[in-house]
Amino acid sequence: MENCYAAENNLDLGMTDEDGKICYNGNYYEYDEDVITILFMGIDKINKVKKGLTHLDGGCADVLFLGIINTRTKTVKLLAINRDSMVDIDVLNIKGEVRYTKPLQITLAHGYGLGLEDSCLNQCDAVSRLLYGIPINAYVSLNMGGVAALNDAIGGVTLTSLDDIYIEDMEIDIAKDEEIHLTGKQAYFYVRFRDEAVYESARIRLERQKQYVEEYCRQLLSNSLKDLSNIVNVYNAVDDYTVMNLSTDELVYLASMLIGYEFDFENIYSLEGSTYSNPETYHEEFTVDEDSTKKLILDLFYRQID
């Protein structure tokens, strides 16, 4: 599977010795070529996907999960990325050309572009940069308006709510610690709602998103073990809300390949770091911790060599 990121990225953890080998705590590592990465993006748009009118119509990526498939160890892992993570982002002009690059919240990368392939590639490139050049092999973006259909395509998701979510005009009333079977708009607001007046609201929402994704994947996997056509049913339910560089046949092939793999959804990984409220922009900025991030990257994407 070819890499899909827009710019030419270079793996660079800054851990090479005088022989050019990656060394950490006395051990040597190389990038694991058996790893396949798929970036899943939830875009803050309600409508079905359509081409934007300007280079600023992409919409923000409020949900970012990197799927990590290792075909050698037959494992599947997920890395959740805080939408406020600061990283160098390419700012595009109306022709899709890079005007300049500047540090911004990673969620904004998808916003530059027409909301189609160009926005997805810009987001893939930003995630790759955040992860020190890790290649992104494929992407799937979903306009958040499709979450209800995505949820109901597998019969809904049952979980114990991590927060109180009350939206009177939408008739949403979910209590913290309540076990609830999410359907339709309940699922949408569970993964989308955040109170921006609350400090680190993006991190708080990310925990709900991690929980929802874990339970969704469990249910989808259970359904697919019985009948692989469930993957096609999910795809058909959200096709109008989705942009991806995978065909239906490729999705079904991946699903069939992953049956029998070990899914580590109980341990959805996150990047450690700290949040800063910028008094000039009034926005929160999440700065990842360099040391722990590099260690996590070695664990997820590299393998130790003699």
Side-chain angles (χ1 to χ4, degrees), residues 103-261:
L104 293 167
Q105 287 94 340
I106 200 168
T107 180
L108 298 174
H110 191 276
Y112 293 104
L114 301 174
L116 304 177
E117 180 184 78
D118 56 346
S119 292
C120 290
L121 290 177
N122 206 42
Q123 188 67 65
C124 287
D125 189 57
V127 170
S128 182
R129 283 177 178 163
L130 182 71
L131 301 179
Y132 296 92
I134 294 300
I136 310 296
N137 301 119
Y139 60 78
V140 178
S141 79
L142 173 74
N143 281 6
M144 295 295 280
V147 168
L150 182 77
N151 179 84
D152 293 351
I154 64 166
V157 171
T158 300
L159 49 73
T160 301
S161 178
L162 298 180
D163 298 301
D164 293 317
I165 303 176
Y166 178 69
I167 307 171
E168 183 176 5
D169 56 344
M170 292 289 119
E171 299 181 341
I172 298 296
D173 189 2
I174 300 173
K176 183 177 180 180
D177 297 326
E178 170 191 3
E179 183 174 274
I180 183 170
H181 183 73
L182 298 172
T183 59
K185 63 182 181 180
Q186 291 176 321
Y188 167 81
F189 284 106
Y190 192 79
V191 300
R192 181 76 194 280
F193 173 79
R194 71 179 175 118
D195 184 351
E196 296 186 24
V198 175
Y199 184 62
E200 290 194 307
S201 60
R203 182 192 58 77
I204 294 170
R205 180 176 65 181
L206 182 59
E207 293 304 311
R208 290 202 309 273
Q209 292 172 349
K210 288 167 61 177
Q211 178 200 30
Y212 178 84
V213 167
E214 176 188 339
E215 297 303 330
Y216 187 94
C217 289
R218 289 182 189 279
Q219 183 65 40
L220 178 60
L221 179 61
S222 176
N223 292 352
S224 300
L225 285 173
K226 302 171 186 174
D227 186 355
L228 274 176
S229 66
N230 283 291
I231 297 294
V232 179
N233 294 337
V234 171
Y235 172 82
N236 290 336
V238 298
D239 184 28
D240 292 337
Y241 294 89
T242 302
V243 178
M244 68 176 73
N245 66 340
L246 294 168
S247 67
T248 306
D249 289 342
E250 287 174 322
L251 284 174
V252 173
Y253 170 75
L254 277 172
S256 63
M257 181 184 75
L258 295 179
I259 292 177
Y261 275 40

Side-chain angles (χ1 to χ4, degrees), residues 3 57 85 91 98 120 144 158 178 235 238 242 275 282 304:
N3 301 334
D57 280 351
S85 301
V91 178
V98 179
C120 290
M144 295 295 280
T158 300
E178 170 191 3
Y235 172 82
V238 298
T242 302
T275 300
Y282 302 104
Q304 188 175 326

